[in-house]
Amino acid sequence: MGRTKKKRTWLKVILLLILIGIVGVGAYGYSIYHNLQKTAKSVHAPLDREPVVERPSDLELKKKEPFSVLMLGVDEREGDKGRSDTMIVITVNPEKQSMEMLSIPRDTRVEIVGKGFDDKINHAYAFGGIEMSMNTVEKYLDIPIDYYVKMNMEGFEEIVDAVGGITVNNDLDFSVSATHFPKGEISLNGEEALKYSRMRKEDPRGDFGRQMRQRQVIQGVIKKGANVSTLWKYDDMLKAVGNNVETNISFDEMKSIQKNYSEARKHVEQLQIEGSGAKIDGIWYYIVPEEERTKIQNRLKEHLGL
């Protein structure tokens, strides 16, 4: 009897420990959820705009329909609205299980929607903020832009550090100040990632090389941020996002994207627009031939299922 009673006592202890563990994980999970919701609310900045390119019907994330995002990397300084020096359009297609990332060179000569004249595409943000940037990109690419994510590039290193650094595959040996970036797979902290993504002068490809590195760094953050192990850093991640990001994606939409589109991030195609530099009225622009623009438009439309 004594032995049976002892066994029951141990069984109760083990069950109690398991229960405490489950409750602990549940409480931790609730804490994460609550803080995620709080951060999502703080960075949510909805737009009330009339789209230039309308969808055939409203986007339904629960039906796993492909969608698009405009990422704007903005250098904001005190007393200056800033310019969107980084413009990346991301299309996400869960059926194809893929994402496409297109960099738009900041000096690309386009029609600025709402101004009625041609100028550098990154001036759209200086003229009319996010709304004018989205409208201008929509018209230029002839696709609906569903969402935007605006990122303060000065605080971008905080985001990279918050996810524990990132890994990129570097195809060019170069140095910036005292920091050396060898060829091959390299790990970067926040400060290094910012230097890596901004380098242009030493790259024979010029701005194309810089755009490629920007896409690599953003892809690295997406990949690392989605890793389960970074949950232990979630406090840092949420603080960094809250300080440096603004978006019109709501918390419910974020949950739908996480639930229905997570496979798409595993295969990323990086795109760039081919063109050439030219001076018009003494100002340097990046000129994209119409056939190249049409080719890119068709590629993105196909990926969005339009």
Side-chain angles (χ1 to χ4, degrees):
M1 284 292 286
R3 197 176 289 175
T4 306
K5 192 174 180 182
K6 204 177 277 185
K7 276 184 181 176
R8 281 179 185 163
T9 304
W10 275 109
L11 188 61
K12 284 178 183 176
V13 170
I14 290 164
L15 287 172
L16 186 63
L17 287 171
I18 291 169
L19 187 62
I20 289 167
I22 290 168
V23 170
V25 170
Y28 182 66
Y30 175 77
S31 172
I32 291 176
Y33 184 86
H34 176 73
N35 285 319
L36 272 171
Q37 192 174 32
K38 190 177 170 184
T39 303
K41 194 174 179 181
S42 74
V43 302
H44 187 226
L47 280 180
D48 183 21
R49 74 178 184 104
E50 284 294 320
V52 176
V53 179
E54 299 217 20
R55 281 183 160 274
S57 58
D58 289 343
L59 173 66
E60 292 191 58
L61 296 175
K62 287 178 182 175
K63 290 186 177 178
K64 299 187 178 183
E65 293 180 349
F67 68 89
S68 63
V69 182
L70 172 63
M71 290 198 75
L72 295 169
V74 180
D75 280 323
E76 292 179 305
R77 294 175 176 85
E78 207 172 324
D80 179 17
K81 189 170 186 178
R83 289 178 184 174
S84 52
D85 280 344
T86 302
M87 300 183 84
I88 297 174
V89 173
I90 301 174
T91 56
V92 185
N93 187 313
E95 189 182 327
K96 293 178 184 286
Q97 295 189 354
S98 67
M99 288 168 54
E100 291 191 344
M101 296 178 74
L102 169 73
S103 293
I104 304 177
R106 59 187 176 179
D107 296 322
T108 306
R109 186 177 168 89
V110 302
E111 180 192 335
I112 306 294
V113 175
K115 284 292 180 182
F117 56 76
D118 289 357
D119 203 341
K120 296 183 180 189
I121 197 165
N122 72 328
H123 287 186
Y125 183 83
F127 290 138
I130 291 158
E131 186 173 346
M132 195 170 282
S133 293
M134 289 180 80
N135 290 347
T136 298
V137 171
E138 262 189 357
K139 179 152 192 181
Y140 185 67
L141 295 177
D142 197 31
I143 60 167
I145 299 294
D146 301 302
Y147 301 111
Y148 79 88
V149 175
K150 187 186 89 170
M151 195 177 296
N152 174 18
M153 293 310 288
E154 287 299 310
F156 188 65
E157 63 181 89
E158 191 183 343
I159 293 172
V160 174
D161 283 334
V163 299
I166 59 168
T167 302
V168 297
N169 194 11
N170 182 25
D171 68 348
L172 179 73
D173 189 292
F174 67 93
S175 294
V176 177
S177 302
T179 310
H180 178 231
F181 298 95
K183 264 188 177 184
E185 196 170 274
I186 53 174
S187 297
L188 306 174
N189 63 24
E191 185 183 358
E192 291 164 344
L194 203 57
K195 287 180 180 177
Y196 180 81
S197 65
R198 282 179 163 168
M199 195 284 282
R200 179 167 57 104
K201 291 179 180 176
E202 289 183 46
D203 195 324
R205 297 163 296 191
D207 207 43
F208 276 133
R210 187 181 74 106
Q211 291 163 31
M212 184 196 72
R213 284 186 290 278
Q214 287 173 346
R215 293 192 301 269
Q216 282 183 325
V217 168
I218 289 165
Q219 190 180 338
V221 169
I222 292 169
K223 187 177 178 182
K224 196 74 181 288
N227 195 312
V228 176
S229 66
T230 55
L231 275 177
W232 305 109
K233 296 173 176 287
Y234 86 97
D235 256 344
D236 291 340
M237 286 170 63
L238 294 185
K239 186 181 173 187
V241 168
N243 288 342
N244 299 293
V245 173
E246 186 181 303
T247 183
N248 63 336
I249 306 174
S250 69
F251 184 55
D252 285 342
E253 287 169 326
M254 287 179 193
K255 288 189 291 181
S256 289
I257 291 167
Q258 174 61 28
K259 181 182 176 183
N260 299 319
Y261 296 79
S262 58
E263 290 297 312
R265 72 171 186 271
K266 293 179 181 176
H267 183 71
V268 181
E269 290 282 336
Q270 297 205 10
L271 311 177
Q272 63 185 37
I273 300 177
E274 299 290 345
S276 57
K279 270 194 174 183
I280 299 174
D281 297 329
I283 299 169
W284 196 92
Y285 293 97
Y286 188 72
I287 308 296
V288 177
E290 272 306 305
E291 58 268 28
E292 172 69 7
R293 180 182 167 191
T294 302
K295 186 180 87 174
I296 290 290
Q297 286 175 345
N298 290 338
R299 168 101 185 229
L300 296 177
K301 283 175 187 176
E302 193 271 331
H303 197 245
L304 287 170
L306 299 172

